[in-house]
Amino acid sequence: MTAVQWVASVFAELAASLVLLGAGYLIGLYRERLKQQGRSLTEYDFYPYVATPEKFAAFSLKDFRLGVHHFLRNADRRAARQLIFIGEQNNVRQQLSDTDRRAYERLCSKYYTRNVADDTQQYLDNYRNIVRLLGRTFRGLGIEILLHDLSDPSHSVTTIENGEITGRVVGMGTTTLLVDLMRRVNLKQDKLNYEVKTGARQFKCTTVPILREDFGVVGAICLNVDVNYIRDVVMASAEKTTEFFESLCHADMTLDENFLSKDEYKKALDGKRHFRDFAPHPRAA
């Protein structure tokens, strides 16, 4: 083997080694990233909320402490940050003993979660506006819409429109329905068109989770229809039914806009009145 061939062989082997080393490094990073992403906090037995006899979610300091010490020993970035997020919203530093507070501070330092509460409140700002505007669209129709900040289920209602339907106001807590939502998200199950009965009251509900990568479910938009109001009042007489639909169709302003498809736009100009109007509408000569 000539010197040139020998040098070429060495460089070829070195290049192959570097490729294998780089591939191993990237695979290691990928595995570490998966490890860091971790599980949702709701998958652990010490999820720090328990149900009260009234079916509301109450913060559990005991379970929170178990979580703190678990994540100091076992790394799970996603679940640990969710735990810290909930702790900050519940002023947990004032409830912990000196020993547990120091452990909690170590946990916060380990997972670097400074200002997570304020950041998520800003994250939910646009959802508050969505709830406010949609709710005012359905005013007086027996339809309530609200936003839950699930970082603090004990005071989760941050925006609510038409709250007279359930009597809830801003600052009130969520029920175990929202805790159930967080578990359903992990199972990829929707909470769409479900029924809730309480005494003589009956509601048709839909709950839409708001997800955030680092913290899991951070909020939810809930739409609740007062079924008995629709049945007992709206449908009780032709007058009430007419009043309901006139309120539903009422508009505060008229704008010169078009959001129909090109085909539907042409049909509208020809006289088509609604989406189930299948009658022929030849354009007038």
Side-chain angles (χ1 to χ4, degrees), residues 131-241:
V131 166
R132 181 177 61 84
L133 296 178
L134 281 178
R136 293 180 182 180
T137 300
F138 298 124
R139 184 161 291 172
L141 299 177
I143 302 173
E144 173 189 80
I145 183 168
L146 65 150
L147 174 68
H148 284 286
D149 178 351
L150 294 184
S151 65
D152 182 11
S154 299
H155 308 89
S156 66
V157 180
T158 61
T159 307
I160 186 167
E161 291 290 337
N162 311 323
E164 67 274 7
I165 292 171
T166 60
R168 286 180 291 182
V169 296
V170 171
M172 294 187 70
T174 180
T175 65
T176 50
L177 291 174
L178 269 298
V179 177
D180 174 67
L181 169 69
M182 290 184 279
R183 298 186 185 278
R184 285 179 183 271
V185 166
N186 293 321
L187 298 174
K188 302 186 185 306
Q189 298 176 348
D190 293 328
K191 294 194 73 172
L192 174 68
N193 289 333
Y194 61 94
E195 183 180 73
V196 174
K197 292 183 177 180
T198 305
R201 303 294 300 274
Q202 182 177 349
F203 301 91
K204 173 185 174 180
C205 310
T206 291
T207 301
V208 183
I210 300 172
L211 302 172
R212 197 173 183 198
E213 183 177 358
D214 275 354
F215 304 109
V217 183
V218 298
I221 293 177
C222 297
L223 186 70
N224 305 311
V225 180
D226 192 330
V227 171
N228 289 345
Y229 170 74
I230 303 297
R231 289 175 175 166
D232 299 349
V233 178
V234 175
M235 299 174 63
S237 68
E239 179 183 357
K240 288 295 183 181
T241 302

Side-chain angles (χ1 to χ4, degrees), residues 47-98:
Y47 182 73
Y49 280 98
V50 295
T52 67
E54 297 80 16
K55 296 185 179 180
F56 280 79
F59 179 68
S60 170
L61 185 62
K62 175 184 175 182
D63 288 320
F64 184 85
R65 290 177 60 255
L66 290 174
V68 168
H69 292 285
H70 175 85
F71 293 128
L72 282 174
R73 298 189 305 269
N74 306 279
D76 188 328
R77 181 177 181 274
R78 182 184 178 197
R81 286 167 68 85
Q82 291 174 16
L83 182 75
I84 295 169
F85 187 39
I86 291 173
E88 291 300 300
Q89 289 293 322
N90 284 277
N91 297 317
V92 74
R93 297 171 197 270
Q94 299 178 14
Q95 304 178 51
L96 293 170
S97 67
D98 289 343

